[in-house]
Amino acid sequence: MKYQAPRGTRDILPDESWKWQRVEEVFRETAARFGYREIRTPVFEETELFARGIGDSTDIVRKEMYTFADRKGRSLTLRPEGTAGVVRSYVEHSMGHGGRATKLFYFCPMFRYEWPQAGRYRQFWQWGLESLGSLSPAVDAEIIHFSVSLFAALGIRGTEARVNSAGCRECAPTYNELLRERLASRLPSFCEDCRVRYERNPRRMFDCKNAACLEVLRDAPSILESLCDGCRDHFDRVQAYLARMSVPFRVDTSLARGLDYYTKTVFEVHYAGLGAQSALCGGGRYDQLVEEIGGAATPACGVSAGVERLLTALESEGALPATEPRPAVVVVWMGSAASLAGASLAAALRELMSVEMDYQERGLKAQLRDAARLGARFALILGEDEVARGIAVVKDMQTGEQEAFPVGAVVGEIERRLAKS
Ligand code: AMP
């Protein structure tokens, strides 16, 4: 019996995991610059939370949730996205008390039962931000600015923010009616999914991945014509903030986002290098969700994004360093006495730098080849003869020069040479 990772999941092996660390590091630095703090919520929540929070008409809730009954028969679901759990936690811990907006970030795995295909997994990673407690359009602009800044900090050039408004409880239904009216005669041209969306929530039709459906939707009315005064004003002010903050953006009235909870601002940041599915992140304002989940009415805005897709963009942009970090020193040894002396030197050096050592008892040549392959800066060579004389040979792997030093002087010597180079 050979086990394999479950369908739609994969291992992130060491040759790749350093890239993930780099993305997470830059994300955390950027989050700190913008004043967001980390929240870690459970991997699973009550199923009802997602059904309420994400919306019954979404593909996620209809088709993609990993739902199971626990031993007591409670229905639980592996989180398919981050916001519902964060909002649940915000309400549970009364984080809103204190007057300031609560600014949170997460970086963690999500689970969706999707057909595995290029770039789509059943376990995948997302980063996200949520800012809860302020109605100000400056918050929406801050989150869009964060997203653009993060991609720039990672070395992705030429991203474009696209913004739209989803309206609110007052004006969104007017738009839904208008859409239904205008699309009624074209209904037979849409796919089966879109016909369901038409009944439940016609704006979801813009999320369709089917080119024929999108073609028909080109003639659909723009939501901007249906916005109420409050939403119109909010949208204008978000744009004014973005312009003053020099964040490049354009208005895209076909932008709908796949989740039901958005009100007012919705946005995506796109990167042309990704092809058809070019969105690097997406988000927006969700002023009703906290109340929906049982908290006090609290305006909020957030963004989330897939990490796998971000890595694909980084690779196509050549924005990741070609190799992972290299050891400063590889300890090369022959014979058991040298092994002890080598382990002792490695232990001392590891207080200061990265050190590798051979554990296979291979020959000197093989060990030196390995040191070169690992890209080590120095090899520290110890044979029976060196141990007997109380010395060790430091080999500079760039110049090939070798020099012997008393064992007690080796750590200082390597430190001195590294500081110089
Ligand atoms: P959504 O929450 O559906 O708006 O998805 C946000 C982002 O998460 C997408 O743009 C993808 O980058 C990523 N994503 C969503 N589903 C998957 C999946 N099954 N596999 C990998 N990435 C995903």
Side-chain angles (χ1 to χ4, degrees):
M1 175 89 184
K2 276 227 170 94
Y3 294 109
Q4 290 184 332
R7 189 165 155 77
T9 70
R10 66 187 188 126
D11 302 310
I12 298 165
L13 301 176
D15 277 348
E16 236 190 317
S17 59
W18 63 272
K19 300 178 192 172
W20 287 72
Q21 286 169 21
R22 156 118 185 110
V23 168
E24 186 166 351
E25 222 170 83
V26 175
F27 170 71
R28 284 173 181 278
E29 280 164 16
T30 313
R33 273 195 284 128
F34 281 72
Y36 286 78
R37 300 195 303 153
E38 184 176 22
I39 182 164
R40 299 189 186 198
T41 63
V43 166
F44 55 85
E45 299 270 359
E46 281 178 52
T47 301
E48 180 61 23
L49 172 71
F50 297 121
R52 277 196 84 80
I54 302 173
D56 289 331
S57 74
T58 56
D59 280 359
I60 296 180
V61 172
R62 284 175 53 226
K63 301 190 261 186
E64 296 169 359
M65 294 213 296
Y66 265 99
T67 298
F68 60 97
D70 74 1
R71 287 170 185 271
K72 285 265 167 70
R74 285 173 286 238
S75 180
L76 299 172
T77 295
L78 299 184
R79 64 173 170 230
E81 56 92 61
T83 305
V86 170
V87 171
R88 195 264 313 133
S89 175
Y90 174 86
V91 173
E92 186 173 335
H93 300 285
S94 308
M95 284 187 232
H97 294 168
R100 305 188 71 246
T102 304
K103 295 167 59 169
L104 305 167
F105 77 77
Y106 58 83
F107 190 105
C108 52
M110 306 294 170
F111 306 85
R112 294 186 196 171
Y113 196 90
E114 292 203 59
W115 285 116
Q117 46 182 301
R120 302 303 272 189
Y121 303 96
R122 290 182 174 174
Q123 172 172 338
F124 61 97
W125 288 68
Q126 284 192 341
W127 61 261
L129 303 183
E130 315 292 353
S131 176
L132 300 114
S134 172
L135 266 172
S136 169
V139 170
D140 314 31
E142 176 182 275
I143 289 179
I144 297 169
H145 180 211
F146 172 93
S147 309
V148 170
S149 276
L150 171 68
F151 301 137
L154 282 164
I156 303 179
R157 277 168 294 272
T159 59
E160 179 193 61
R162 298 181 192 170
V163 296
N164 193 19
S165 178
C168 64
R169 267 187 189 159
E170 269 175 42
C171 57
T174 319
Y175 178 59
N176 285 350
E177 272 325 299
L178 183 67
L179 258 185
R180 282 206 188 93
E181 229 170 75
R182 298 269 189 91
L183 296 175
S185 63
R186 314 287 303 269
L187 211 51
S189 323
F190 285 100
C191 70
E192 207 174 303
D193 271 352
C194 274
R195 291 201 288 264
V196 175
R197 292 181 181 120
Y198 177 89
E199 295 302 334
R200 294 190 186 203
N201 185 348
R203 269 182 305 159
R204 292 280 78 84
M205 295 163 89
F206 288 104
D207 295 332
C208 189
K209 284 157 192 123
N210 199 325
C213 297
L214 294 178
E215 186 55 37
V216 185
L217 283 171
R218 282 161 69 109
D219 302 330
S222 151
I223 188 163
L224 299 185
E225 295 159 29
S226 306
L227 292 184
C228 63
D229 289 348
C231 287
R232 172 86 251 169
D233 177 59
H234 187 90
F235 192 45
D236 287 344
R237 289 168 65 205
V238 170
Q239 292 177 62
Y241 275 109
L242 289 174
R244 286 295 289 273
M245 291 156 72
S246 306
V247 178
F249 72 95
R250 80 176 167 86
V251 173
D252 176 358
T253 55
S254 72
L255 203 148
R257 304 288 308 141
L259 309 175
D260 275 354
Y261 51 59
Y262 289 118
T263 51
K264 295 198 166 76
T265 314
V266 283
F267 75 92
E268 289 177 346
V269 176
H270 285 255
Y271 168 65
L274 278 171
Q277 299 270 306
S278 64
L280 274 179
C281 71
R285 185 160 272 286
Y286 51 92
D287 290 341
Q288 255 90 48
L289 183 64
V290 182
E291 211 176 350
E292 200 83 30
I293 287 177
T298 308
C301 189
V303 59
S304 72
V307 178
E308 284 82 358
R309 194 180 284 188
L310 178 54
L311 279 163
T312 308
L314 285 172
E315 268 157 14
S316 76
E317 185 81 343
L320 282 164
T323 52
E324 60 186 306
R326 301 153 168 213
V329 177
V330 170
V331 176
V332 170
W333 58 276
M334 294 291 292
S336 56
S339 166
L340 274 173
S344 149
L345 276 172
L349 284 165
R350 278 176 173 154
E351 296 291 320
L352 306 162
M353 63 194 74
S354 64
V355 179
E356 245 322 340
M357 177 167 176
D358 181 81
Y359 300 106
Q360 315 294 87
E361 310 203 10
R362 289 180 297 176
L364 200 66
K365 263 201 185 141
Q367 291 188 47
L368 279 170
R369 251 200 322 270
D370 211 35
R373 192 183 55 78
L374 288 170
R377 184 70 188 78
F378 299 103
L380 188 56
I381 307 168
L382 290 143
E384 301 289 354
D385 184 39
E386 281 80 13
V387 173
R389 292 166 54 199
I391 59 165
V393 173
V394 175
K395 175 172 181 173
D396 185 317
M397 296 298 286
Q398 277 167 12
T399 63
E401 279 166 33
Q402 299 192 174
E403 202 177 334
F405 295 92
V407 164
V410 162
V411 174
E413 174 64 20
I414 290 179
E415 218 187 340
R416 193 181 58 75
R417 288 191 184 193
L418 279 175
K420 262 203 324 202
S421 64

